[in-house]
Amino acid sequence: MSILDRLIQPEQRASFSQANPKDPILAEWFGGRSNTSAGVSVTADSAMRISAVFACVRILSSAIASLPLIVYRRVENDGRRRDAAHPLYGLLHDAPNRWQTSYEFREMQAAHLLLRGNAYAEIVPSGTRAVAELVPLNPDRVRPFMAPDGTVAYEYSPDEGESRIILQHEMHHLRGL
């Protein structure tokens, strides 16, 4: 018997099982799916099958990815100077990981942000550099939560294997609205 079953009185179960929460988080929590008023479940993946949604996401994410990404160093008098020697320059400007260009990575992050409201990339450290790679994570598999020390931490559940905790300083998190 689940905790939910213990909390719900037998006379309430019939009406409760008929309920259809509109909030997608509640719907998933109670074992259902959130439906629109038309009765169709809409997810980020199903929305991308609509040509207008696909076109909008493609145009916006490619426009964001095509913007110049330049690393600057602060200089005297509130100025700045381009810094191609910065340790993160190559990672951000050329290739954040072994399989993506900077453009592909930023396009993916923008699409995740547009469709799911958040974009995540794990910061992989290196012995020689502060950051070796930025590895994009599927936002559907990341759950942020407040850690006991007051920082944000993330539970990541990969397709295969055990869930693991990623600390705030180990995650690049783009937050949407």
Side-chain angles (χ1 to χ4, degrees), residues 9-154:
Q9 300 299 320
E11 59 274 2
Q12 295 173 319
R13 282 196 188 134
S15 63
F16 182 78
S17 64
Q18 307 266 328
N20 180 19
K22 298 292 183 202
D23 185 297
I25 304 298
L26 286 175
E28 186 176 330
W29 191 32
F30 289 110
R33 297 198 65 138
S34 175
N35 291 331
T36 63
S37 58
V40 178
S41 178
V42 178
T43 65
D45 293 329
S46 66
M48 283 294 281
R49 292 188 207 114
I50 307 298
S51 60
V53 173
F54 180 84
C56 290
V57 170
R58 183 182 54 80
I59 289 167
L60 288 169
S61 62
S62 63
I64 292 168
S66 68
L67 294 171
L69 197 155
I70 301 167
V71 177
Y72 292 98
R73 180 174 303 279
R74 291 193 188 276
V75 294
E76 298 168 359
N77 301 326
D78 293 330
R80 63 183 184 174
R81 178 173 292 144
R82 185 179 281 203
D83 188 6
H86 191 280
L88 293 176
Y89 182 83
L91 191 78
L92 297 172
H93 187 268
D94 300 326
N97 53 55
R98 290 169 280 178
W99 63 92
Q100 287 180 309
T101 65
S102 177
Y103 179 91
E104 293 167 336
F105 175 79
R106 291 184 286 145
E107 184 179 44
M108 174 189 275
Q109 293 291 90
H112 284 171
L113 191 60
L114 289 166
L115 288 167
R116 293 173 169 89
N118 288 290
Y120 301 97
E122 183 174 7
I123 300 169
V124 179
S126 168
T128 58
R129 299 185 309 185
V131 180
E133 291 183 314
L134 292 172
V135 177
L137 301 176
N138 182 339
D140 296 339
R141 300 189 168 280
V142 178
R143 185 184 65 83
F145 64 94
M146 190 65 67
D149 66 355
T151 62
V152 177
Y154 304 86

